[in-house]
């Protein structure tokens, strides 16, 4: 009798679970609970420390290679890292190899530079989308202007104050790649290892475990993984954003998954030994 | 080309962002999101509309990207500036299209040959150095400086080296997996399983993050400044399903439920 009742649990229409998950994710957006993000991973801390120790005025190249499909995870990471660069008075250059990210880059630079009184062309520059990343990365090793002679607005890149003294990777203090693709691997292989440039990454949570080997060998100086990585970096720079606000929803959703897994396993054990 | 560019500039001018366009954009975003999510309940025409729109819009988007970000700046503009050198890569690129015409498809081999040679030349040395030599070094190097390491770091280094050896044994098929080799390769499976478990856990977190992103936007667009787009479209969809269910009461279901 009890066995039959318990077996019904495994025949629940999965749409009830979808509904429950939707409620669990949506409720904290309407009414934030404020669950703290207390743990900072070693890789996020390393990324922060590396950026924090770069001398003011140095040039940092951001490669923002993500499109709307990975926006919730990677956009907060990019916002936080660009904020940190401006806070540290670093010069910022932006490139992209993903056409869909041009609008997202515009969103970041329509908002963030204004918060720190930074100007387009003097403190930062956005270069246009380029298709073939391998060719671009290789070319930038000798002369950046061979591929990026003009910025996104058509201005001569050589004459921009932000580019003063910057010709190739030797003049860059750090490359930051935030991507939902494997382009970070290419930054490590074609640029980090070849030209001895420090590389820091920001990737989706799915890709994060795969970068363990590069972190162990210090081929990557630091790494942010998914929305949690964004929340960690926001905590480090003390600028809460979308990453931090998403932690409530993520925590509750993970709790729901844990409860469902545990409940079904316990029921399965009872059924087996009853 | 100038006429085409001017026409495009005029057409783009129609879409200068105004609050009215933003509101319309919000309604489109909310509508398409809810239409796509509605498949979780069951297949319906609104889902199909969103699905087809996605494919069509995607094709249009990529066409303009290739035209304005690649063809015009990389081929057309240099040709107009009499830089004839671009003809060679352009012809190699065009040769790839000939594979759609069986009679002259042999021409595409030249383009592919160039791509393969160029790609292999770039990837092989970089891959060997970054993913092979550097990783072997990264596994062995910590073992050479154990005297200066903490007990935990020593354990960690040994575990990594042990894991690498066991997993390599698992993928070594030239020796029959029996006896000691079988035991080592079985341990390798456990290391792989731990990796897959971590990767799957992260995948779940990533999917929830993406869902959170959509819900966050739905909440943003539920405000009065967007004329309650989320509520209106959500209620309309629920009403559609209720009416549809009532109208088809007693009939054998033809629509597909969420897989």
């Amino acid at each position: 009798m009890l066995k039959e009742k318990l077996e019904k649990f495994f025949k629940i229409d999965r749409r009830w679970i979808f509904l429950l998950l939707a409620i669990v994710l949506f409720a904290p957006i309407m009414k934030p609970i404020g669950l703290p993000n207390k743990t900072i991973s070693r890789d996020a801390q390393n990324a922060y420390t590396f950026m924090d120790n770069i001398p003011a005025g140095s040039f940092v190249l951001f490669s923002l290679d993500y499109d709307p499909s990975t926006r919730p995870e990677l956009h907060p990471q990019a916002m936080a890292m660009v904020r940190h660069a401006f806070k540290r008075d670093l010069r910022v250059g932006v490139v992209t190899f993903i056409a869909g990210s041009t609008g997202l880059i515009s969103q970041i630079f329509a908002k963030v530079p204004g918060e720190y009184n930074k100007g387009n062309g003097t403190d930062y520059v956005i270069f246009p989308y380029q298709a073939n990343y391998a060719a671009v990365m290789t070319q930038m090793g000798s002369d950046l202007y061979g591929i990026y002679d003009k910025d996104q607005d058509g201005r001569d890149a050589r004459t921009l104050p932000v580019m003063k003294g910057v010709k190739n990777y030797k003049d860059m203090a750090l490359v930051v790649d935030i991507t939902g693709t494997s382009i970070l691997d290419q930054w490590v292989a074609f640029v980090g290892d070849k030209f001895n440039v420090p590389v820091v990454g920001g990737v989706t949570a799915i890709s994060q475990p795969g970068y363990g080997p590069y972190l162990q060998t210090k081929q990557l100086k630091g790494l942010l993984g998914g929305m949690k990585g964004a929340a960690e970096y926001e905590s480090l720079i003390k600028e809460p954003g979308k990453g931090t606000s998403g932690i409530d929803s993520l925590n509750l959703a993970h709790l729901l998954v844990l409860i469902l897994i545990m409940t079904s396993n316990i029921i399965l054990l009872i059924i087996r030994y009853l | 080309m100038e006429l085409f560019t001017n026409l495009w500039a005029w057409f783009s001018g129609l879409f200068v962002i105004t609050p009215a366009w933003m509101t319309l954009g919000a309604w489109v975003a909310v509508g398409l999101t809810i239409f796509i999510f509605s498949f979780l309940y069951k297949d319906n025409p609104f889902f199909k509309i969103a699905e087809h729109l996605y494919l069509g819009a995607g094709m249009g988007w990529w066409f303009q990207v290739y035209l304005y970000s690649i063809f015009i700046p990389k081929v057309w503009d240099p040709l107009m500036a009499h830089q004839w050198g671009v003809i060679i890569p352009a012809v190699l690129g065009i040769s790839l299209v000939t594979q759609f015409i069986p009679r002259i498809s042999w021409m595409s081999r030249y383009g592919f040959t160039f791509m393969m040679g160029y790609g292999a030349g770039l990837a092989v040395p970089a891959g060997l150095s970054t993913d092979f030599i550097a990783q072997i070094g990264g596994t062995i190097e910590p073992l050479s400086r154990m005297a200066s390491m903490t007990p935990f770091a020593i354990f960690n280094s040994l575990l990594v080296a042990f894991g690498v050896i066991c997993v390599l044994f698992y993928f070594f098929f030239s020796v029959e997996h029996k006896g000691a080799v079988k035991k080592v390769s079985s341990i390798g499976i456990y290391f792989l399983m731990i990796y897959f478990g971590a990767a799957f856990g992260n995948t779940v977190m990533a999917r929830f993050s993406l869902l959170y992103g959509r819900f966050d936007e739905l909440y943003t667009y539920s405000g009065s400044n967007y004329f309650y787009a989320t509520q209106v479209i959500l209620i309309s969809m629920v009403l559609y399903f209720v009416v549809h269910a009532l109208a088809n009461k007693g009939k054998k279901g033809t629509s597909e439920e969420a897989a």
Side-chain angles (χ1 to χ4, degrees), chain A residues 194-243:
Chain A
K194 197 173 171 188
F195 296 99
N196 213 14
V197 185
V199 180
V200 161
V203 295
T204 57
I206 297 173
S207 321
Q208 190 188 3
Y211 287 101
Y214 289 159
L215 289 162
Q216 192 212 350
T217 53
K218 306 278 182 216
Q219 287 166 290
L220 270 178
K221 305 298 175 199
L223 185 76
L224 308 187
M227 192 179 269
K228 170 112 178 39
E232 288 170 352
Y233 211 88
E234 286 169 1
S235 302
L236 288 164
I237 62 166
K238 297 181 179 65
E239 297 263 4
K242 285 285 178 194

Side-chain angles (χ1 to χ4, degrees), chain A residues 32-66:
Chain A
I33 307 165
L35 292 172
N37 177 40
K38 284 191 172 170
T39 52
I40 305 289
S41 70
R42 186 190 53 191
D43 303 329
Q45 179 68 54
N46 287 345
Y48 171 82
T49 309
F50 200 93
M51 178 92 90
D52 213 49
N53 289 331
I54 296 172
S58 303
F59 189 89
V60 175
L61 186 71
F62 279 80
S63 182
L64 302 180
D65 306 309
Y66 59 94

Side-chain angles (χ1 to χ4, degrees), chain B residues 7 19 65 104 124 140 173 182 196 203 210 221 244-245 254 259:
Chain B
L7 272 172
V65 166
I104 54 166
V124 171
I140 296 169
F173 303 118
K182 190 182 177 186
F196 294 144
T203 303
L210 299 184
Y221 298 141
H244 185 262
T254 51

Side-chain angles (χ1 to χ4, degrees), chain A residues 27 31 69-70 83 85 87 91 109 123 127 137 151 169 172 179 189 191 207-208 216 237 242:
Chain A
K31 197 167 173 57
S69 66
T70 47
R83 277 200 170 102
K87 227 179 195 176
R91 289 183 287 159
F109 285 88
D123 303 295
F127 291 111
M137 286 175 191
D151 78 343
Y169 295 124
M172 297 177 192
T179 182
V191 180
S207 321
Q208 190 188 3
Q216 192 212 350
I237 62 166
K242 285 285 178 194

Side-chain angles (χ1 to χ4, degrees), chain A residues 46-116:
Chain A
N46 287 345
Y48 171 82
T49 309
F50 200 93
M51 178 92 90
D52 213 49
N53 289 331
I54 296 172
S58 303
F59 189 89
V60 175
L61 186 71
F62 279 80
S63 182
L64 302 180
D65 306 309
Y66 59 94
D67 61 12
S69 66
T70 47
R71 182 180 185 270
E73 287 189 278
L74 301 177
H75 204 54
Q77 289 183 8
M79 295 276 268
M81 292 202 82
V82 170
R83 277 200 170 102
H84 191 200
F86 282 145
K87 227 179 195 176
R88 296 273 308 108
D89 281 328
L90 302 173
R91 289 183 287 159
V92 170
V94 182
V95 297
T96 183
F97 305 116
I98 299 287
S101 78
T102 48
L104 297 170
I105 291 170
S106 302
Q107 271 185 13
I108 294 173
F109 285 88
K111 192 180 177 201
V112 179
E115 295 170 8
Y116 300 92

